[in-house]
Amino acid sequence: MYLYNVTIITEDDIREIVRQYIEEHLKHYREATASVALLELLDSPHEGTTYCLQLRAAHNEEIALFQQQYLAPIQAFANQQHTGKVLFFDSVMKYLSSY
């Protein structure tokens, strides 16, 4: 099992626009062996608003598919409509155990 985390830091003046776009874009995400969640980081050390987009997937290939079909359009929207106001960085983690 893998956890793919995309941290999205957005300036406060566009935070709701970005959040709504992400939610609208992801509302049709349906994969049998993966799930996606949008979170807001409450104690972020960064200025602005920090969202975390998390994909929990059984296979690494699902992450690549998610990046192409869902993340790329979100990044394109942010880069085209809000240049310099949204920052993305991501990481992939593998579950070793769960309690």
PDB file of all heavy atoms in Angstrom, residues 51-86:
ATOM      1  N   TYR A  51      -2.930  22.953   1.695  1.00  0.00           N
ATOM      2  CA  TYR A  51      -3.791  21.798   1.500  1.00  0.00           C
ATOM      3  C   TYR A  51      -2.909  20.579   1.244  1.00  0.00           C
ATOM      4  O   TYR A  51      -1.807  20.701   0.701  1.00  0.00           O
ATOM      5  CB  TYR A  51      -4.718  21.982   0.298  1.00  0.00           C
ATOM      6  CG  TYR A  51      -5.701  23.108   0.435  1.00  0.00           C
ATOM      7  CD1 TYR A  51      -5.613  24.233  -0.370  1.00  0.00           C
ATOM      8  CD2 TYR A  51      -6.733  23.050   1.374  1.00  0.00           C
ATOM      9  CE1 TYR A  51      -6.522  25.273  -0.248  1.00  0.00           C
ATOM     10  CE2 TYR A  51      -7.633  24.087   1.503  1.00  0.00           C
ATOM     11  CZ  TYR A  51      -7.524  25.194   0.684  1.00  0.00           C
ATOM     12  OH  TYR A  51      -8.427  26.223   0.816  1.00  0.00           O
ATOM     13  N   CYS A  52      -3.417  19.414   1.602  1.00  0.00           N
ATOM     14  CA  CYS A  52      -2.746  18.158   1.278  1.00  0.00           C
ATOM     15  C   CYS A  52      -3.736  17.293   0.524  1.00  0.00           C
ATOM     16  O   CYS A  52      -4.840  17.039   0.996  1.00  0.00           O
ATOM     17  CB  CYS A  52      -2.278  17.441   2.534  1.00  0.00           C
ATOM     18  SG  CYS A  52      -0.993  18.327   3.413  1.00  0.00           S
ATOM     19  N   LEU A  53      -3.337  16.872  -0.627  1.00  0.00           N
ATOM     20  CA  LEU A  53      -4.111  15.968  -1.455  1.00  0.00           C
ATOM     21  C   LEU A  53      -3.455  14.604  -1.301  1.00  0.00           C
ATOM     22  O   LEU A  53      -2.278  14.444  -1.614  1.00  0.00           O
ATOM     23  CB  LEU A  53      -4.071  16.455  -2.901  1.00  0.00           C
ATOM     24  CG  LEU A  53      -4.876  15.721  -3.945  1.00  0.00           C
ATOM     25  CD1 LEU A  53      -6.341  15.669  -3.556  1.00  0.00           C
ATOM     26  CD2 LEU A  53      -4.707  16.406  -5.281  1.00  0.00           C
ATOM     27  N   GLN A  54      -4.190  13.629  -0.762  1.00  0.00           N
ATOM     28  CA  GLN A  54      -3.595  12.333  -0.472  1.00  0.00           C
ATOM     29  C   GLN A  54      -4.317  11.218  -1.215  1.00  0.00           C
ATOM     30  O   GLN A  54      -5.539  11.114  -1.150  1.00  0.00           O
ATOM     31  CB  GLN A  54      -3.611  12.054   1.026  1.00  0.00           C
ATOM     32  CG  GLN A  54      -2.721  13.020   1.776  1.00  0.00           C
ATOM     33  CD  GLN A  54      -2.546  12.656   3.224  1.00  0.00           C
ATOM     34  OE1 GLN A  54      -3.368  11.964   3.817  1.00  0.00           O
ATOM     35  NE2 GLN A  54      -1.460  13.116   3.814  1.00  0.00           N
ATOM     36  N   LEU A  55      -3.508  10.423  -1.882  1.00  0.00           N
ATOM     37  CA  LEU A  55      -4.007   9.249  -2.588  1.00  0.00           C
ATOM     38  C   LEU A  55      -3.457   8.025  -1.872  1.00  0.00           C
ATOM     39  O   LEU A  55      -2.243   7.907  -1.674  1.00  0.00           O
ATOM     40  CB  LEU A  55      -3.530   9.248  -4.044  1.00  0.00           C
ATOM     41  CG  LEU A  55      -3.881   8.011  -4.858  1.00  0.00           C
ATOM     42  CD1 LEU A  55      -5.364   8.024  -5.215  1.00  0.00           C
ATOM     43  CD2 LEU A  55      -3.023   7.915  -6.094  1.00  0.00           C
ATOM     44  N   ARG A  56      -4.346   7.152  -1.488  1.00  0.00           N
ATOM     45  CA  ARG A  56      -3.945   5.887  -0.882  1.00  0.00           C
ATOM     46  C   ARG A  56      -4.197   4.813  -1.925  1.00  0.00           C
ATOM     47  O   ARG A  56      -5.343   4.605  -2.351  1.00  0.00           O
ATOM     48  CB  ARG A  56      -4.777   5.645   0.369  1.00  0.00           C
ATOM     49  CG  ARG A  56      -4.261   4.552   1.210  1.00  0.00           C
ATOM     50  CD  ARG A  56      -5.013   4.502   2.509  1.00  0.00           C
ATOM     51  NE  ARG A  56      -4.758   3.188   3.055  1.00  0.00           N
ATOM     52  CZ  ARG A  56      -5.277   2.731   4.147  1.00  0.00           C
ATOM     53  NH1 ARG A  56      -6.112   3.464   4.832  1.00  0.00           N
ATOM     54  NH2 ARG A  56      -4.996   1.536   4.575  1.00  0.00           N
ATOM     55  N   ALA A  57      -3.128   4.158  -2.358  1.00  0.00           N
ATOM     56  CA  ALA A  57      -3.221   3.245  -3.502  1.00  0.00           C
ATOM     57  C   ALA A  57      -2.550   1.904  -3.214  1.00  0.00           C
ATOM     58  O   ALA A  57      -1.532   1.851  -2.520  1.00  0.00           O
ATOM     59  CB  ALA A  57      -2.567   3.884  -4.719  1.00  0.00           C
ATOM     60  N   ALA A  58      -3.104   0.871  -3.786  1.00  0.00           N
ATOM     61  CA  ALA A  58      -2.547  -0.467  -3.623  1.00  0.00           C
ATOM     62  C   ALA A  58      -1.318  -0.690  -4.506  1.00  0.00           C
ATOM     63  O   ALA A  58      -0.427  -1.459  -4.157  1.00  0.00           O
ATOM     64  CB  ALA A  58      -3.606  -1.523  -3.926  1.00  0.00           C
ATOM     65  N   HIS A  59      -1.270   0.035  -5.641  1.00  0.00           N
ATOM     66  CA  HIS A  59      -0.195  -0.191  -6.610  1.00  0.00           C
ATOM     67  C   HIS A  59       0.438   1.136  -7.012  1.00  0.00           C
ATOM     68  O   HIS A  59      -0.259   2.146  -7.167  1.00  0.00           O
ATOM     69  CB  HIS A  59      -0.735  -0.897  -7.858  1.00  0.00           C
ATOM     70  CG  HIS A  59      -1.472  -2.156  -7.534  1.00  0.00           C
ATOM     71  ND1 HIS A  59      -0.839  -3.309  -7.177  1.00  0.00           N
ATOM     72  CD2 HIS A  59      -2.799  -2.424  -7.494  1.00  0.00           C
ATOM     73  CE1 HIS A  59      -1.739  -4.245  -6.929  1.00  0.00           C
ATOM     74  NE2 HIS A  59      -2.940  -3.729  -7.113  1.00  0.00           N
ATOM     75  N   ASN A  60       1.707   1.111  -7.231  1.00  0.00           N
ATOM     76  CA  ASN A  60       2.454   2.314  -7.626  1.00  0.00           C
ATOM     77  C   ASN A  60       1.954   2.873  -8.959  1.00  0.00           C
ATOM     78  O   ASN A  60       1.977   4.076  -9.187  1.00  0.00           O
ATOM     79  CB  ASN A  60       3.940   1.977  -7.696  1.00  0.00           C
ATOM     80  CG  ASN A  60       4.809   3.175  -7.420  1.00  0.00           C
ATOM     81  OD1 ASN A  60       4.345   4.204  -6.941  1.00  0.00           O
ATOM     82  ND2 ASN A  60       6.084   3.037  -7.719  1.00  0.00           N
ATOM     83  N   GLU A  61       1.456   2.015  -9.836  1.00  0.00           N
ATOM     84  CA  GLU A  61       0.950   2.450 -11.139  1.00  0.00           C
ATOM     85  C   GLU A  61      -0.265   3.374 -10.998  1.00  0.00           C
ATOM     86  O   GLU A  61      -0.493   4.244 -11.839  1.00  0.00           O
ATOM     87  CB  GLU A  61       0.577   1.245 -12.011  1.00  0.00           C
ATOM     88  CG  GLU A  61       1.736   0.337 -12.377  1.00  0.00           C
ATOM     89  CD  GLU A  61       2.131  -0.636 -11.264  1.00  0.00           C
ATOM     90  OE1 GLU A  61       1.354  -0.840 -10.322  1.00  0.00           O
ATOM     91  OE2 GLU A  61       3.259  -1.177 -11.349  1.00  0.00           O
ATOM     92  N   GLU A  62      -1.022   3.190  -9.939  1.00  0.00           N
ATOM     93  CA  GLU A  62      -2.187   4.043  -9.700  1.00  0.00           C
ATOM     94  C   GLU A  62      -1.764   5.486  -9.417  1.00  0.00           C
ATOM     95  O   GLU A  62      -2.491   6.423  -9.737  1.00  0.00           O
ATOM     96  CB  GLU A  62      -3.019   3.502  -8.538  1.00  0.00           C
ATOM     97  CG  GLU A  62      -3.695   2.187  -8.886  1.00  0.00           C
ATOM     98  CD  GLU A  62      -4.271   1.501  -7.671  1.00  0.00           C
ATOM     99  OE1 GLU A  62      -3.562   1.339  -6.673  1.00  0.00           O
ATOM    100  OE2 GLU A  62      -5.462   1.129  -7.745  1.00  0.00           O
ATOM    101  N   ILE A  63      -0.597   5.650  -8.846  1.00  0.00           N
ATOM    102  CA  ILE A  63      -0.080   6.995  -8.572  1.00  0.00           C
ATOM    103  C   ILE A  63       0.224   7.707  -9.884  1.00  0.00           C
ATOM    104  O   ILE A  63      -0.163   8.858 -10.081  1.00  0.00           O
ATOM    105  CB  ILE A  63       1.165   6.932  -7.667  1.00  0.00           C
ATOM    106  CG1 ILE A  63       0.772   6.385  -6.287  1.00  0.00           C
ATOM    107  CG2 ILE A  63       1.832   8.304  -7.557  1.00  0.00           C
ATOM    108  CD1 ILE A  63       1.932   6.068  -5.376  1.00  0.00           C
ATOM    109  N   ALA A  64       0.893   7.020 -10.794  1.00  0.00           N
ATOM    110  CA  ALA A  64       1.206   7.614 -12.101  1.00  0.00           C
ATOM    111  C   ALA A  64      -0.060   7.986 -12.853  1.00  0.00           C
ATOM    112  O   ALA A  64      -0.145   9.067 -13.455  1.00  0.00           O
ATOM    113  CB  ALA A  64       2.063   6.652 -12.930  1.00  0.00           C
ATOM    114  N   LEU A  65      -1.067   7.133 -12.800  1.00  0.00           N
ATOM    115  CA  LEU A  65      -2.342   7.412 -13.453  1.00  0.00           C
ATOM    116  C   LEU A  65      -3.017   8.635 -12.817  1.00  0.00           C
ATOM    117  O   LEU A  65      -3.529   9.508 -13.518  1.00  0.00           O
ATOM    118  CB  LEU A  65      -3.249   6.186 -13.371  1.00  0.00           C
ATOM    119  CG  LEU A  65      -4.566   6.265 -14.112  1.00  0.00           C
ATOM    120  CD1 LEU A  65      -4.336   6.412 -15.612  1.00  0.00           C
ATOM    121  CD2 LEU A  65      -5.403   5.029 -13.821  1.00  0.00           C
ATOM    122  N   PHE A  66      -3.002   8.706 -11.500  1.00  0.00           N
ATOM    123  CA  PHE A  66      -3.577   9.848 -10.782  1.00  0.00           C
ATOM    124  C   PHE A  66      -2.850  11.145 -11.160  1.00  0.00           C
ATOM    125  O   PHE A  66      -3.484  12.172 -11.383  1.00  0.00           O
ATOM    126  CB  PHE A  66      -3.490   9.613  -9.273  1.00  0.00           C
ATOM    127  CG  PHE A  66      -4.036  10.747  -8.461  1.00  0.00           C
ATOM    128  CD1 PHE A  66      -5.393  10.872  -8.248  1.00  0.00           C
ATOM    129  CD2 PHE A  66      -3.188  11.693  -7.912  1.00  0.00           C
ATOM    130  CE1 PHE A  66      -5.906  11.927  -7.497  1.00  0.00           C
ATOM    131  CE2 PHE A  66      -3.681  12.745  -7.158  1.00  0.00           C
ATOM    132  CZ  PHE A  66      -5.040  12.864  -6.951  1.00  0.00           C
ATOM    133  N   GLN A  67      -1.536  11.078 -11.244  1.00  0.00           N
ATOM    134  CA  GLN A  67      -0.748  12.260 -11.619  1.00  0.00           C
ATOM    135  C   GLN A  67      -1.150  12.764 -13.001  1.00  0.00           C
ATOM    136  O   GLN A  67      -1.298  13.966 -13.199  1.00  0.00           O
ATOM    137  CB  GLN A  67       0.748  11.935 -11.592  1.00  0.00           C
ATOM    138  CG  GLN A  67       1.296  11.765 -10.196  1.00  0.00           C
ATOM    139  CD  GLN A  67       2.703  11.197 -10.204  1.00  0.00           C
ATOM    140  OE1 GLN A  67       3.070  10.373 -11.055  1.00  0.00           O
ATOM    141  NE2 GLN A  67       3.508  11.629  -9.249  1.00  0.00           N
ATOM    142  N   GLN A  68      -1.314  11.860 -13.941  1.00  0.00           N
ATOM    143  CA  GLN A  68      -1.657  12.248 -15.310  1.00  0.00           C
ATOM    144  C   GLN A  68      -3.084  12.743 -15.442  1.00  0.00           C
ATOM    145  O   GLN A  68      -3.349  13.764 -16.071  1.00  0.00           O
ATOM    146  CB  GLN A  68      -1.442  11.059 -16.257  1.00  0.00           C
ATOM    147  CG  GLN A  68      -0.018  10.650 -16.433  1.00  0.00           C
ATOM    148  CD  GLN A  68       0.099   9.329 -17.177  1.00  0.00           C
ATOM    149  OE1 GLN A  68      -0.893   8.683 -17.512  1.00  0.00           O
ATOM    150  NE2 GLN A  68       1.328   8.917 -17.435  1.00  0.00           N
ATOM    151  N   GLN A  69      -4.026  11.998 -14.872  1.00  0.00           N
ATOM    152  CA  GLN A  69      -5.440  12.286 -15.097  1.00  0.00           C
ATOM    153  C   GLN A  69      -6.017  13.350 -14.168  1.00  0.00           C
ATOM    154  O   GLN A  69      -6.967  14.032 -14.536  1.00  0.00           O
ATOM    155  CB  GLN A  69      -6.262  11.012 -14.983  1.00  0.00           C
ATOM    156  CG  GLN A  69      -5.990  10.037 -16.095  1.00  0.00           C
ATOM    157  CD  GLN A  69      -6.881   8.803 -15.994  1.00  0.00           C
ATOM    158  OE1 GLN A  69      -7.519   8.538 -14.979  1.00  0.00           O
ATOM    159  NE2 GLN A  69      -6.912   8.028 -17.063  1.00  0.00           N
ATOM    160  N   TYR A  70      -5.473  13.485 -12.975  1.00  0.00           N
ATOM    161  CA  TYR A  70      -6.080  14.393 -11.997  1.00  0.00           C
ATOM    162  C   TYR A  70      -5.150  15.518 -11.561  1.00  0.00           C
ATOM    163  O   TYR A  70      -5.555  16.678 -11.533  1.00  0.00           O
ATOM    164  CB  TYR A  70      -6.576  13.610 -10.772  1.00  0.00           C
ATOM    165  CG  TYR A  70      -7.720  12.710 -11.132  1.00  0.00           C
ATOM    166  CD1 TYR A  70      -7.513  11.394 -11.502  1.00  0.00           C
ATOM    167  CD2 TYR A  70      -9.027  13.194 -11.146  1.00  0.00           C
ATOM    168  CE1 TYR A  70      -8.568  10.573 -11.858  1.00  0.00           C
ATOM    169  CE2 TYR A  70     -10.096  12.386 -11.514  1.00  0.00           C
ATOM    170  CZ  TYR A  70      -9.847  11.076 -11.866  1.00  0.00           C
ATOM    171  OH  TYR A  70     -10.894  10.280 -12.238  1.00  0.00           O
ATOM    172  N   LEU A  71      -3.915  15.175 -11.201  1.00  0.00           N
ATOM    173  CA  LEU A  71      -3.014  16.207 -10.695  1.00  0.00           C
ATOM    174  C   LEU A  71      -2.557  17.170 -11.788  1.00  0.00           C
ATOM    175  O   LEU A  71      -2.526  18.386 -11.567  1.00  0.00           O
ATOM    176  CB  LEU A  71      -1.806  15.578 -10.000  1.00  0.00           C
ATOM    177  CG  LEU A  71      -0.842  16.572  -9.368  1.00  0.00           C
ATOM    178  CD1 LEU A  71      -1.543  17.422  -8.307  1.00  0.00           C
ATOM    179  CD2 LEU A  71       0.358  15.841  -8.775  1.00  0.00           C
ATOM    180  N   ALA A  72      -2.220  16.669 -12.948  1.00  0.00           N
ATOM    181  CA  ALA A  72      -1.733  17.535 -14.034  1.00  0.00           C
ATOM    182  C   ALA A  72      -2.732  18.641 -14.386  1.00  0.00           C
ATOM    183  O   ALA A  72      -2.338  19.802 -14.523  1.00  0.00           O
ATOM    184  CB  ALA A  72      -1.365  16.705 -15.263  1.00  0.00           C
ATOM    185  N   PRO A  73      -4.037  18.349 -14.522  1.00  0.00           N
ATOM    186  CA  PRO A  73      -4.982  19.436 -14.812  1.00  0.00           C
ATOM    187  C   PRO A  73      -5.094  20.456 -13.669  1.00  0.00           C
ATOM    188  O   PRO A  73      -5.269  21.653 -13.918  1.00  0.00           O
ATOM    189  CB  PRO A  73      -6.313  18.711 -15.024  1.00  0.00           C
ATOM    190  CG  PRO A  73      -5.940  17.329 -15.401  1.00  0.00           C
ATOM    191  CD  PRO A  73      -4.677  17.042 -14.655  1.00  0.00           C
ATOM    192  N   ILE A  74      -4.987  19.999 -12.434  1.00  0.00           N
ATOM    193  CA  ILE A  74      -5.033  20.922 -11.294  1.00  0.00           C
ATOM    194  C   ILE A  74      -3.819  21.847 -11.329  1.00  0.00           C
ATOM    195  O   ILE A  74      -3.930  23.062 -11.137  1.00  0.00           O
ATOM    196  CB  ILE A  74      -5.114  20.140  -9.970  1.00  0.00           C
ATOM    197  CG1 ILE A  74      -6.462  19.420  -9.874  1.00  0.00           C
ATOM    198  CG2 ILE A  74      -4.900  21.067  -8.772  1.00  0.00           C
ATOM    199  CD1 ILE A  74      -6.541  18.393  -8.748  1.00  0.00           C
ATOM    200  N   GLN A  75      -2.657  21.282 -11.581  1.00  0.00           N
ATOM    201  CA  GLN A  75      -1.437  22.089 -11.678  1.00  0.00           C
ATOM    202  C   GLN A  75      -1.516  23.061 -12.848  1.00  0.00           C
ATOM    203  O   GLN A  75      -1.112  24.219 -12.728  1.00  0.00           O
ATOM    204  CB  GLN A  75      -0.208  21.192 -11.822  1.00  0.00           C
ATOM    205  CG  GLN A  75       0.118  20.452 -10.558  1.00  0.00           C
ATOM    206  CD  GLN A  75       1.248  19.453 -10.745  1.00  0.00           C
ATOM    207  OE1 GLN A  75       1.271  18.703 -11.718  1.00  0.00           O
ATOM    208  NE2 GLN A  75       2.162  19.429  -9.805  1.00  0.00           N
ATOM    209  N   ALA A  76      -2.043  22.620 -13.972  1.00  0.00           N
ATOM    210  CA  ALA A  76      -2.173  23.492 -15.147  1.00  0.00           C
ATOM    211  C   ALA A  76      -3.101  24.658 -14.841  1.00  0.00           C
ATOM    212  O   ALA A  76      -2.802  25.809 -15.182  1.00  0.00           O
ATOM    213  CB  ALA A  76      -2.681  22.695 -16.347  1.00  0.00           C
ATOM    214  N   PHE A  77      -4.235  24.387 -14.191  1.00  0.00           N
ATOM    215  CA  PHE A  77      -5.156  25.445 -13.796  1.00  0.00           C
ATOM    216  C   PHE A  77      -4.451  26.469 -12.904  1.00  0.00           C
ATOM    217  O   PHE A  77      -4.543  27.680 -13.139  1.00  0.00           O
ATOM    218  CB  PHE A  77      -6.354  24.836 -13.060  1.00  0.00           C
ATOM    219  CG  PHE A  77      -7.169  25.845 -12.302  1.00  0.00           C
ATOM    220  CD1 PHE A  77      -8.064  26.668 -12.954  1.00  0.00           C
ATOM    221  CD2 PHE A  77      -7.026  25.969 -10.923  1.00  0.00           C
ATOM    222  CE1 PHE A  77      -8.815  27.611 -12.249  1.00  0.00           C
ATOM    223  CE2 PHE A  77      -7.768  26.894 -10.208  1.00  0.00           C
ATOM    224  CZ  PHE A  77      -8.656  27.717 -10.875  1.00  0.00           C
ATOM    225  N   ALA A  78      -3.757  25.999 -11.893  1.00  0.00           N
ATOM    226  CA  ALA A  78      -3.075  26.904 -10.966  1.00  0.00           C
ATOM    227  C   ALA A  78      -1.999  27.721 -11.676  1.00  0.00           C
ATOM    228  O   ALA A  78      -1.887  28.933 -11.463  1.00  0.00           O
ATOM    229  CB  ALA A  78      -2.463  26.113  -9.813  1.00  0.00           C
ATOM    230  N   ASN A  79      -1.229  27.080 -12.525  1.00  0.00           N
ATOM    231  CA  ASN A  79      -0.139  27.773 -13.219  1.00  0.00           C
ATOM    232  C   ASN A  79      -0.646  28.774 -14.252  1.00  0.00           C
ATOM    233  O   ASN A  79      -0.026  29.815 -14.465  1.00  0.00           O
ATOM    234  CB  ASN A  79       0.810  26.770 -13.860  1.00  0.00           C
ATOM    235  CG  ASN A  79       1.590  25.981 -12.832  1.00  0.00           C
ATOM    236  OD1 ASN A  79       1.817  26.442 -11.713  1.00  0.00           O
ATOM    237  ND2 ASN A  79       1.988  24.776 -13.188  1.00  0.00           N
ATOM    238  N   GLN A  80      -1.756  28.474 -14.897  1.00  0.00           N
ATOM    239  CA  GLN A  80      -2.297  29.368 -15.925  1.00  0.00           C
ATOM    240  C   GLN A  80      -3.139  30.488 -15.334  1.00  0.00           C
ATOM    241  O   GLN A  80      -3.038  31.636 -15.769  1.00  0.00           O
ATOM    242  CB  GLN A  80      -3.134  28.574 -16.930  1.00  0.00           C
ATOM    243  CG  GLN A  80      -2.315  27.635 -17.777  1.00  0.00           C
ATOM    244  CD  GLN A  80      -3.180  26.653 -18.556  1.00  0.00           C
ATOM    245  OE1 GLN A  80      -4.398  26.670 -18.477  1.00  0.00           O
ATOM    246  NE2 GLN A  80      -2.527  25.769 -19.316  1.00  0.00           N
ATOM    247  N   GLN A  81      -3.959  30.179 -14.353  1.00  0.00           N
ATOM    248  CA  GLN A  81      -4.894  31.158 -13.804  1.00  0.00           C
ATOM    249  C   GLN A  81      -4.323  31.946 -12.621  1.00  0.00           C
ATOM    250  O   GLN A  81      -4.789  33.046 -12.339  1.00  0.00           O
ATOM    251  CB  GLN A  81      -6.186  30.459 -13.358  1.00  0.00           C
ATOM    252  CG  GLN A  81      -6.899  29.731 -14.466  1.00  0.00           C
ATOM    253  CD  GLN A  81      -7.370  30.665 -15.571  1.00  0.00           C
ATOM    254  OE1 GLN A  81      -7.888  31.737 -15.317  1.00  0.00           O
ATOM    255  NE2 GLN A  81      -7.184  30.243 -16.814  1.00  0.00           N
ATOM    256  N   HIS A  82      -3.353  31.368 -11.915  1.00  0.00           N
ATOM    257  CA  HIS A  82      -2.840  31.984 -10.686  1.00  0.00           C
ATOM    258  C   HIS A  82      -1.313  31.851 -10.628  1.00  0.00           C
ATOM    259  O   HIS A  82      -0.756  31.366  -9.636  1.00  0.00           O
ATOM    260  CB  HIS A  82      -3.494  31.347  -9.463  1.00  0.00           C
ATOM    261  CG  HIS A  82      -4.983  31.393  -9.516  1.00  0.00           C
ATOM    262  ND1 HIS A  82      -5.696  32.551  -9.336  1.00  0.00           N
ATOM    263  CD2 HIS A  82      -5.902  30.420  -9.761  1.00  0.00           C
ATOM    264  CE1 HIS A  82      -6.986  32.298  -9.452  1.00  0.00           C
ATOM    265  NE2 HIS A  82      -7.140  31.017  -9.721  1.00  0.00           N
ATOM    266  N   THR A  83      -0.667  32.302 -11.660  1.00  0.00           N
ATOM    267  CA  THR A  83       0.779  32.167 -11.799  1.00  0.00           C
ATOM    268  C   THR A  83       1.507  32.724 -10.576  1.00  0.00           C
ATOM    269  O   THR A  83       1.264  33.856 -10.161  1.00  0.00           O
ATOM    270  CB  THR A  83       1.268  32.900 -13.065  1.00  0.00           C
ATOM    271  OG1 THR A  83       0.539  32.402 -14.180  1.00  0.00           O
ATOM    272  CG2 THR A  83       2.745  32.695 -13.281  1.00  0.00           C
ATOM    273  N   GLY A  84       2.367  31.900 -10.002  1.00  0.00           N
ATOM    274  CA  GLY A  84       3.193  32.318  -8.874  1.00  0.00           C
ATOM    275  C   GLY A  84       2.481  32.367  -7.534  1.00  0.00           C
ATOM    276  O   GLY A  84       3.085  32.731  -6.528  1.00  0.00           O
ATOM    277  N   LYS A  85       1.214  31.971  -7.483  1.00  0.00           N
ATOM    278  CA  LYS A  85       0.454  32.044  -6.241  1.00  0.00           C
ATOM    279  C   LYS A  85       0.170  30.673  -5.612  1.00  0.00           C
ATOM    280  O   LYS A  85      -0.408  30.595  -4.539  1.00  0.00           O
ATOM    281  CB  LYS A  85      -0.885  32.762  -6.465  1.00  0.00           C
ATOM    282  CG  LYS A  85      -0.738  34.232  -6.758  1.00  0.00           C
ATOM    283  CD  LYS A  85      -2.101  34.881  -6.794  1.00  0.00           C
ATOM    284  CE  LYS A  85      -1.949  36.383  -6.656  1.00  0.00           C
ATOM    285  NZ  LYS A  85      -3.168  36.991  -6.126  1.00  0.00           N
ATOM    286  N   VAL A  86       0.569  29.602  -6.308  1.00  0.00           N
ATOM    287  CA  VAL A  86       0.321  28.255  -5.820  1.00  0.00           C
ATOM    288  C   VAL A  86       1.599  27.439  -5.987  1.00  0.00           C
ATOM    289  O   VAL A  86       2.214  27.452  -7.051  1.00  0.00           O
ATOM    290  CB  VAL A  86      -0.839  27.570  -6.585  1.00  0.00           C
ATOM    291  CG1 VAL A  86      -1.131  26.199  -5.992  1.00  0.00           C
ATOM    292  CG2 VAL A  86      -2.089  28.429  -6.573  1.00  0.00           C
TER     293      VAL A  86
END
